[in-house]
Amino acid sequence: MALRAEPTESQTTAPTSTSDEPLIFCENLVKIYKVADLEAVALQGLDLQIQKGELMAIIGNSGSGKSTLLNILGGLDRPSAGRVLVGGRDLLKMTEGQLVKYKREVVGFVWQQTARNMLPYLTAIENVELPMVISGNYNAKQRAWARELLEVVGLSGRMKHKLSEMSGGEQQRVAIAIGLANRPPLLLADEPTGSVDTKTAATIFDMFRHIRDQYGTTIVIVTHDPKVMSKVDRVVAIRDGKTATETIRRVAIDMADFAAGSIVLGETHDEFVVLDGAGRLQIPREYLDKLSIKKKVRLELDDDQIIIRAIPGEEEDGKRETTSRRWGLR
Ligand code: ADP
Ligand code: MG
């Protein structure tokens, strides 16, 4: 009789994810809030993929849907439509019980308002130990982990201080340690530098990178701080609840210097416009205004580029410009 490998119970119920699949997969994600008779569309068909171990930032104006997206990824809110998978788990199909487990084991949160997940009358170390105590697996090993986390965020000398005796920047660092207490593979930070000064903000961004490098944590930071660009691998901009552009940081070697015998590492940023699943892209408002484009454009395929042209009759005030904007698509 031939031997046949049967999938075990754990294999069939484990999340279906392989290493080359993205950790986070959002497709056509929609979130509508209903307040009285009014509907607010916070996300309108957002597409986003985040790789395991990525350190990335989401930027966008106030009201563009950043917190909504983060709350959905963190299992705090459910989308109205679309798909969202984290590590192969379909967040739309999870039961309440599965969501509770997901929030405890898979995601850590850091908020702008540190008060949201901390108790001011407890010490820093007690605050970090609290999630471990709550999840019922507190022991000597966990205590050592709490100490390690406070060292990682640069607070080894302040562990026994009450939070109420700490500065805003120090409290935010404790908040990061708390977010990591249950060793989540995914850390979500909503405006983590929103209420600290520029220097502390830079330190906090560096800390996120260090954490990613050391523990392999996938980190998603929501911010409107443009300085984040030089601190993360990738920045995705969202506009009106949809992913609009994407900027990837690259370290480039200056070939002229290389030829001259020295290597100079410089940073370049490649900015892309993101197409959604249906092939739509969002043209920046300032481009539309510059060419007075209102409702229609002319599209031309020209070998390796697509040209978007304003239609002269479209312009108001009789401004008959025939300027065009060339978009080189890679
Ligand atoms: P951001 O974090 O980018 O500032 P949000 O995700 O908080 O944006 O909000 C996106 C949109 O959804 C806004 O128009 C906001 O008013 C609306 N919104 C967010 N949360 C709620 C809610 N709980 N109830 C009703 N509307 C909401
Ligand atoms: Mg927000």
Side-chain angles (χ1 to χ4, degrees):
M1 198 181 90
L3 279 177
R4 204 153 50 93
E6 293 287 350
T8 62
E9 177 72 8
S10 69
Q11 276 171 324
T12 49
T13 55
T16 50
S17 112
T18 59
S19 56
D20 51 352
E21 270 176 29
L23 178 74
I24 297 175
F25 178 86
C26 301
E27 189 179 58
N28 219 352
L29 203 57
V30 174
K31 176 69 190 181
I32 301 169
Y33 289 107
K34 290 202 177 70
V35 183
D37 283 345
L38 293 175
E39 281 191 351
V41 187
L43 298 178
Q44 38 188 329
L46 178 131
D47 296 315
L48 180 67
Q49 298 190 9
I50 301 173
Q51 298 304 319
K52 188 168 181 293
E54 231 192 302
L55 169 66
M56 61 93 65
I58 295 173
I59 59 168
N61 292 339
S62 173
S64 56
K66 304 183 298 296
S67 296
T68 303
L69 172 63
L70 225 55
N71 288 342
I72 289 174
L73 293 179
L76 302 173
D77 209 346
R78 292 208 190 237
S80 312
R83 291 221 309 151
V84 52
L85 302 174
V86 178
R89 298 169 190 82
D90 189 333
L91 298 195
L92 263 105
K93 292 194 182 137
M94 271 193 200
T95 62
E96 286 304 317
Q98 287 170 325
L99 264 182
V100 170
K101 197 166 143 64
Y102 172 81
K103 283 185 273 190
R104 199 162 53 208
E105 294 173 4
V106 182
V107 283
F109 248 109
V110 182
W111 280 282
Q112 175 179 354
Q113 321 87 314
T114 45
R116 194 158 162 186
N117 48 355
M118 315 204 294
L119 296 172
Y121 48 85
L122 294 184
T123 63
I125 188 99
E126 286 166 345
N127 267 283
V128 180
E129 287 164 349
L130 203 56
M132 305 169 179
V133 175
I134 292 171
S135 62
N137 57 350
Y138 180 67
N139 51 36
K141 211 171 130 203
Q142 295 292 69
R143 198 180 168 86
W145 172 237
R147 297 181 70 87
E148 177 176 333
L149 282 176
L150 284 172
E151 278 158 22
V152 165
V153 297
L155 290 174
S156 37
R158 313 274 289 158
M159 293 192 196
K160 300 270 169 61
H161 288 251
K162 285 203 175 75
L163 286 189
S164 51
E165 298 162 1
M166 293 184 150
S167 72
E170 285 171 334
Q171 290 186 20
Q172 192 57 303
R173 290 194 261 163
V174 177
I176 294 169
I178 294 172
L180 292 166
N182 286 338
R183 304 173 192 262
L186 173 62
L187 185 69
L188 304 172
D190 196 350
E191 308 272 5
T193 60
S195 33
V196 300
D197 60 81
T198 326
K199 193 161 158 271
T200 311
T203 316
I204 287 176
F205 286 137
D206 288 337
M207 229 162 249
F208 282 127
R209 174 169 288 274
H210 177 72
I211 290 162
R212 189 280 303 270
D213 292 348
Q214 180 126 341
Y215 303 112
T217 318
T218 306
I219 305 182
V220 182
I221 307 168
V222 155
T223 181
H224 54 247
D225 186 347
K227 280 191 291 300
V228 77
M229 198 79 90
S230 61
K231 302 283 189 181
V232 294
D233 307 332
R234 181 165 68 118
V235 175
V236 167
I238 62 176
R239 217 175 273 145
D240 305 329
K242 243 173 140 36
T243 24
T245 59
E246 179 168 323
T247 309
I248 294 169
R249 190 172 68 114
R250 285 184 205 288
V251 178
I253 298 175
D254 187 317
M255 289 318 283
D257 286 320
F258 186 67
S262 67
I263 296 179
V264 176
L265 291 177
E267 256 181 24
T268 60
H269 294 117
D270 283 347
E271 188 167 353
F272 303 96
V273 177
V274 178
L275 298 182
D276 72 8
R280 285 178 288 242
L281 55 77
Q282 190 170 34
I283 303 175
R285 171 59 45 199
E286 58 270 28
Y287 291 10
L288 297 178
D289 290 347
K290 183 108 198 291
L291 302 186
S292 310
I293 292 171
K294 296 280 181 290
K295 300 245 170 216
K296 288 178 204 159
V297 292
R298 209 182 291 283
L299 266 193
E300 287 168 30
L301 180 62
D302 176 18
D303 287 338
D304 61 345
Q305 58 183 347
I306 297 168
I307 303 168
I308 299 177
R309 279 187 206 283
I311 299 170
E314 269 258 306
E315 297 153 25
E316 289 179 343
D317 319 326
K319 269 193 295 168
R320 294 203 155 233
E321 288 173 46
T322 48
T323 16
S324 68
R325 177 86 207 174
R326 279 168 184 257
W327 290 64
L329 294 186
R330 278 168 248 221

